[in-house]
């Protein structure tokens, strides 16, 4: 699993690009000094989905936007699979990731990708596989196939697609993303979200655009080029 700091699209149905704009404002002090402009934060449509196909999509909302990660994404999606993920402290909410200005990968997206950020305070993954299509070949990474599992702290992934067989303990659905407490990550105010004490996902498969982690341990790491991906 490799989505907001502490986190991490190509999928079936592509959501419409969110509208963005800026509203200038100015003020003048009594001494008549130059006006100071300010730009309001970008407003964007955001979507949150649970980590299971059975639950389906939860909501699409418009709210003050916030990036799932704090760096410019490449715009190249990568696939992550694991036979099992177990985590404590789970959160999920929608957001936007931005590519670097002028990126050749932006296509007709305007350089923005609508994503779902999943944050896990502590996670373990069994038989992790990550691959990115480089055009004619795949960069393939595998780890955690032996007795020791892949482990991560403060893990976030920004995804456009996620599937698997999921189970949650003490799940809360419909929270405001700015009030989340389970993983230590805050989403944008006014955005639909969910959180749970624990999460387990068997047969995990994700399409991701970004991943961050405080600590990421990959026992048995292998990196190679391959004709096939995960």
């Amino acid at each position: 699993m490799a989505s907001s700091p502490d986190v991490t699209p190509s999928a079936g149905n592509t959501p419409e690009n969110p509208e963005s704009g800026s509203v200038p404002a100015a003020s003048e002090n009594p001494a008549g000094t130059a006006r100071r402009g300010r730009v309001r934060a970008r407003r964007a449509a955001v979507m949150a989905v649970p980590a299971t196909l059975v639950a389906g999509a939860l909501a699409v909302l418009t709210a003050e936007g916030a990036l799932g990660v704090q760096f410019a994404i490449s715009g190249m999606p990568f696939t992550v699979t694991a036979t099992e993920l177990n985590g404590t402290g789970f959160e999920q909410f929608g957001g936007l990731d931005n590519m670097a200005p002028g990126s050749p990968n932006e296509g007709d997206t305007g350089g923005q990708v609508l994503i779902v950020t999943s944050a896990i305070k502590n996670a373990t993954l069994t038989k992790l596989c990550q691959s990115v299509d480089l055009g004619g070949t795949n960069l393939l990474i595998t780890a955690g196939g032996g007795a020791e599992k892949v482990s991560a702290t403060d893990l976030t992934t920004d995804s456009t697609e996620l599937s698997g067989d999921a189970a949650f303990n003490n799940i809360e659905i419909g929270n405001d993303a700015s009030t989340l407490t389970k993983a230590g990550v805050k989403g944008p105010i006014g955005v639909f979200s969910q959180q749970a004490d624990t999460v387990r996902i068997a047969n995990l498969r994700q399409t991701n655009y970004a991943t961050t982690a405080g600590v990421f341990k990959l026992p048995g790491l292998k990196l190679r080029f391959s004709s096939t991906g995960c």
Side-chain angles (χ1 to χ4, degrees):
M1 189 172 185
S3 300
S4 32
D6 279 320
V7 276
T8 174
S10 68
N13 296 324
T14 303
E16 294 181 357
N17 291 331
E19 295 182 356
S20 62
S22 62
V23 181
S27 61
E28 185 172 338
N29 63 22
T33 57
R35 295 182 178 181
R36 297 179 181 177
R38 64 182 178 86
V39 180
R40 297 186 61 186
R42 204 179 274 273
R43 301 186 63 87
V46 294
M47 177 172 64
V49 299
T52 170
L53 293 181
V54 176
L58 292 180
V60 178
L61 299 173
T62 298
E64 293 294 331
L67 298 183
V69 294
Q70 297 301 311
F71 54 81
I73 62 171
S74 70
M76 298 177 67
F78 54 95
T79 300
V80 174
T81 65
T83 57
E84 184 175 81
L85 176 148
N86 285 280
T88 58
F90 171 81
E91 299 174 357
Q92 199 169 63
F93 54 89
L96 286 171
D97 280 353
N98 281 4
M99 301 177 203
S103 170
N105 299 320
E106 68 179 26
D108 60 358
T109 67
Q112 292 185 322
V113 179
L114 185 64
I115 52 85
V116 174
T117 295
S118 301
I120 303 176
K121 190 64 179 176
N122 296 285
T124 60
L125 299 99
T126 304
K127 294 184 178 178
L128 174 71
C129 178
Q130 176 179 299
S131 64
V132 57
D133 187 349
L134 301 178
T137 189
N138 292 273
L139 179 60
L140 187 69
I141 296 173
T142 58
E148 190 176 357
K149 300 178 181 180
V150 171
S151 62
T153 61
D154 298 322
L155 176 68
T156 63
T157 59
D158 287 3
S159 311
T160 56
E161 192 170 283
L162 190 157
S163 64
D165 302 312
F168 303 92
N169 284 336
N170 298 323
I171 191 168
E172 302 170 1
I173 300 174
N175 310 62
D176 187 292
S178 67
T179 67
L180 295 174
T181 59
K182 301 295 185 180
V185 177
K186 302 289 186 183
I189 189 170
V191 172
F192 190 99
S193 68
Q194 63 178 7
Q195 64 178 357
D197 287 346
T198 67
V199 58
R200 177 186 178 275
I201 306 176
N203 303 314
L204 171 70
R205 187 174 188 86
Q206 292 179 299
T207 300
N208 293 343
Y209 274 82
T211 295
T212 67
V215 176
F216 207 7
K217 296 182 178 180
L218 296 99
L221 171 67
K222 293 182 180 179
L223 185 152
R224 60 196 182 276
F225 292 104
S226 173
S227 60
T228 59
C230 298

Short mmCIF file of all heavy atoms in Angstrom, two decimals, residues 130 138-143 220-226:
data_model
loop_
_atom_site.label_atom_id
_atom_site.label_comp_id
_atom_site.label_asym_id
_atom_site.label_seq_id
_atom_site.Cartn_x
_atom_site.Cartn_y
_atom_site.Cartn_z
N GLN A 130 3.99 -3.81 -5.76
CA GLN A 130 3.73 -2.48 -6.31
C GLN A 130 4.33 -2.42 -7.71
O GLN A 130 5.48 -2.81 -7.91
CB GLN A 130 4.34 -1.40 -5.44
CG GLN A 130 4.19 0.01 -6.00
CD GLN A 130 4.79 1.06 -5.08
OE1 GLN A 130 4.38 1.21 -3.95
NE2 GLN A 130 5.77 1.79 -5.59
N ASN A 138 7.35 -2.77 -16.88
CA ASN A 138 6.83 -2.37 -15.57
C ASN A 138 7.97 -2.36 -14.56
O ASN A 138 8.82 -3.26 -14.53
CB ASN A 138 5.76 -3.37 -15.09
CG ASN A 138 4.51 -3.33 -15.91
OD1 ASN A 138 3.60 -2.54 -15.66
ND2 ASN A 138 4.44 -4.19 -16.93
N LEU A 139 7.99 -1.33 -13.72
CA LEU A 139 8.88 -1.32 -12.57
C LEU A 139 8.14 -2.02 -11.44
O LEU A 139 7.08 -1.56 -11.00
CB LEU A 139 9.23 0.11 -12.17
CG LEU A 139 10.15 0.25 -10.95
CD1 LEU A 139 11.48 -0.43 -11.18
CD2 LEU A 139 10.35 1.72 -10.59
N LEU A 140 8.68 -3.14 -10.98
CA LEU A 140 7.99 -4.02 -10.04
C LEU A 140 8.74 -4.08 -8.71
O LEU A 140 9.96 -4.28 -8.69
CB LEU A 140 7.87 -5.42 -10.63
CG LEU A 140 7.03 -6.46 -9.88
CD1 LEU A 140 5.56 -6.09 -9.93
CD2 LEU A 140 7.25 -7.84 -10.49
N ILE A 141 8.02 -3.89 -7.61
CA ILE A 141 8.58 -4.00 -6.27
C ILE A 141 7.76 -5.02 -5.49
O ILE A 141 6.52 -4.94 -5.47
CB ILE A 141 8.55 -2.65 -5.54
CG1 ILE A 141 9.44 -1.63 -6.26
CG2 ILE A 141 9.00 -2.80 -4.09
CD1 ILE A 141 9.33 -0.23 -5.68
N THR A 142 8.43 -5.96 -4.84
CA THR A 142 7.76 -6.92 -3.97
C THR A 142 8.47 -6.96 -2.62
O THR A 142 9.66 -6.70 -2.53
CB THR A 142 7.73 -8.33 -4.59
OG1 THR A 142 9.08 -8.75 -4.86
CG2 THR A 142 6.92 -8.34 -5.88
N ALA A 143 7.71 -7.30 -1.58
CA ALA A 143 8.27 -7.39 -0.22
C ALA A 143 7.27 -8.10 0.67
O ALA A 143 6.08 -8.22 0.34
CB ALA A 143 8.58 -6.01 0.34
N GLY A 220 12.66 -8.41 2.73
CA GLY A 220 12.70 -9.19 1.49
C GLY A 220 12.44 -8.35 0.26
O GLY A 220 11.92 -8.87 -0.74
N LEU A 221 12.82 -7.08 0.28
CA LEU A 221 12.55 -6.17 -0.83
C LEU A 221 13.23 -6.64 -2.10
O LEU A 221 14.42 -6.97 -2.11
CB LEU A 221 13.02 -4.76 -0.48
CG LEU A 221 13.00 -3.72 -1.60
CD1 LEU A 221 11.57 -3.40 -2.01
CD2 LEU A 221 13.74 -2.46 -1.17
N LYS A 222 12.48 -6.63 -3.22
CA LYS A 222 13.03 -6.91 -4.55
C LYS A 222 12.49 -5.87 -5.52
O LYS A 222 11.27 -5.66 -5.58
CB LYS A 222 12.65 -8.33 -5.02
CG LYS A 222 13.30 -9.44 -4.22
CD LYS A 222 12.90 -10.80 -4.77
CE LYS A 222 13.55 -11.94 -3.97
NZ LYS A 222 13.15 -13.27 -4.50
N LEU A 223 13.38 -5.22 -6.25
CA LEU A 223 13.01 -4.24 -7.26
C LEU A 223 13.57 -4.69 -8.60
O LEU A 223 14.75 -5.00 -8.70
CB LEU A 223 13.56 -2.86 -6.88
CG LEU A 223 13.15 -1.67 -7.77
CD1 LEU A 223 13.16 -0.38 -6.95
CD2 LEU A 223 14.10 -1.52 -8.96
N ARG A 224 12.71 -4.71 -9.61
CA ARG A 224 13.15 -5.20 -10.92
C ARG A 224 12.19 -4.71 -12.00
O ARG A 224 11.11 -4.21 -11.71
CB ARG A 224 13.19 -6.73 -10.92
CG ARG A 224 11.86 -7.40 -10.63
CD ARG A 224 12.03 -8.84 -10.26
NE ARG A 224 10.79 -9.54 -10.01
CZ ARG A 224 10.15 -9.52 -8.84
NH1 ARG A 224 10.63 -8.81 -7.82
NH2 ARG A 224 9.04 -10.21 -8.66
N PHE A 225 12.62 -4.87 -13.26
CA PHE A 225 11.73 -4.61 -14.39
C PHE A 225 11.07 -5.91 -14.79
O PHE A 225 11.67 -6.99 -14.72
CB PHE A 225 12.52 -4.02 -15.56
CG PHE A 225 13.03 -2.63 -15.27
CD1 PHE A 225 14.36 -2.42 -14.97
CD2 PHE A 225 12.18 -1.53 -15.33
CE1 PHE A 225 14.84 -1.14 -14.71
CE2 PHE A 225 12.63 -0.26 -15.07
CZ PHE A 225 13.96 -0.06 -14.75
N SER A 226 9.81 -5.80 -15.22
CA SER A 226 9.04 -7.00 -15.53
C SER A 226 8.09 -6.71 -16.69
O SER A 226 7.63 -5.57 -16.86
CB SER A 226 8.24 -7.46 -14.31
OG SER A 226 7.37 -8.53 -14.63
#
